[in-house]
Amino acid sequence: MSGLIKSSIARKVVMALSGLFLVFFLAQHFVINITSVIAPDTFNEWSHFMGYNGLVQFILQPVLIAGVIVHFAMGIALELKNNKARAIKYKQYNGNANSSWMSRNMIITGLVVLAFLGLHMYDFWVHEMAYKYIEVNPESPTRYYEETVLKFEPFWRTIIYVISFVLLSLHLWHGFASSFQTVGVNNKYSAGIQTFTKIYSIAIPLGFIFIALYHHFNPITH
């Protein structure tokens, strides 16, 4: 198994599978978050369920964290190996002749998205862990909507979210479609898959941007 993981092909497959898993989670995350705009009570209900359900907290959540770690670890490992393998350095390089800017800079957008995930975890996951396990507060099923809106009050935080989702869109634009190719999906449905991944890569990040801007410009007033 260790020998398999050390091979470039195996790393690409692991990165592709973990990436597809994260794409599925991203869609599920968006479905929950958009209710904070259209149905705050539903958002509170779903958020409370996700925050206190044992299956979600102690099985799905660790799996998600492991998926993030594996995906980015494989990506960084592949980038380092590719850089090391480039023994010949070209004096002149026309990158667009053979690949897109996005495909050549996946590691950059990936690292920025990883940094954003750190901020997102600090904003919500760390706060949730402190609320439940450090401060040991009682359950409050209606607190989630207000807490979420308050996070987007600062202009700087909203801008960080917007920029991060733009870069996530660029990352998905290349990575989502490539994941299907890596795992061997190359059939009559390939064109449809390509179209779907492009639409997803724009629509989902744009939806998150809309949520951030909506809450920033519609703060809770007391």
Side-chain angles (χ1 to χ4, degrees):
M1 179 59 72
S2 62
L4 179 65
I5 294 299
K6 288 179 181 179
S7 74
S8 293
I9 295 176
R11 285 174 176 168
K12 288 179 180 179
V13 171
V14 171
M15 185 170 68
L17 291 174
S18 60
L20 291 173
F21 167 72
L22 295 176
V23 163
F24 173 78
F25 165 77
L26 187 67
Q28 176 262 334
H29 196 49
F30 172 74
V31 170
I32 294 175
N33 282 14
I34 194 62
T35 61
S36 68
V37 173
I38 60 178
D41 290 339
T42 301
F43 177 74
N44 279 328
E45 292 174 6
W46 288 2
S47 297
H48 182 259
F49 172 80
M50 297 292 287
Y52 285 89
N53 181 270
L55 175 63
V56 173
Q57 289 295 297
F58 303 112
I59 297 179
L60 296 184
Q61 188 168 264
V63 169
L64 172 63
I65 294 173
V68 171
I69 294 172
V70 167
H71 184 71
F72 285 99
M74 290 297 101
I76 292 171
L78 284 168
E79 182 68 15
L80 292 175
K81 186 173 183 178
N82 289 338
N83 289 336
K84 187 177 180 180
R86 296 189 187 106
I88 300 176
K89 301 296 183 180
Y90 295 96
K91 294 182 179 180
Q92 185 175 3
Y93 174 63
N94 183 11
N96 290 330
N98 299 310
S99 60
S100 66
W101 179 91
M102 191 60 254
S103 65
R104 299 192 309 275
N105 292 279
M106 288 292 285
I107 189 66
I108 296 175
T109 56
L111 289 174
V112 174
V113 171
L114 182 60
F116 161 71
L117 285 175
L119 173 64
H120 189 66
M121 293 283 284
Y122 173 79
D123 278 346
F124 295 97
W125 186 78
V126 172
H127 166 77
E128 187 70 9
M129 295 300 102
Y131 183 94
K132 291 188 296 187
Y133 302 119
I134 298 177
E135 300 169 5
V136 195
N137 291 304
E139 291 188 30
S140 179
T142 61
R143 65 184 169 88
Y144 301 95
Y145 173 74
E146 183 173 355
E147 289 176 352
T148 299
V149 176
L150 289 175
K151 287 297 182 182
F152 293 107
E153 275 193 357
F155 180 73
W156 65 268
R157 181 180 271 108
T158 303
I159 289 299
I160 289 177
Y161 269 74
V162 169
I163 294 173
S164 298
F165 278 113
V166 169
L167 292 174
L168 176 62
S169 178
L170 294 174
H171 193 78
L172 288 170
W173 184 267
H174 174 75
F176 194 5
S178 297
S179 295
F180 284 103
Q181 295 175 359
T182 300
V183 298
V185 178
N186 186 18
N187 50 39
K188 63 180 180 179
Y189 301 109
S190 295
I193 290 174
Q194 286 277 347
T195 300
F196 169 74
T197 58
K198 301 308 181 188
I199 294 174
Y200 182 100
S201 300
I202 296 174
I204 296 298
L206 192 61
F208 277 107
I209 290 173
F210 168 74
I211 293 170
L213 292 175
Y214 179 87
H215 289 316
H216 177 73
F217 291 109
N218 294 275
I220 294 176
T221 56
H222 296 283

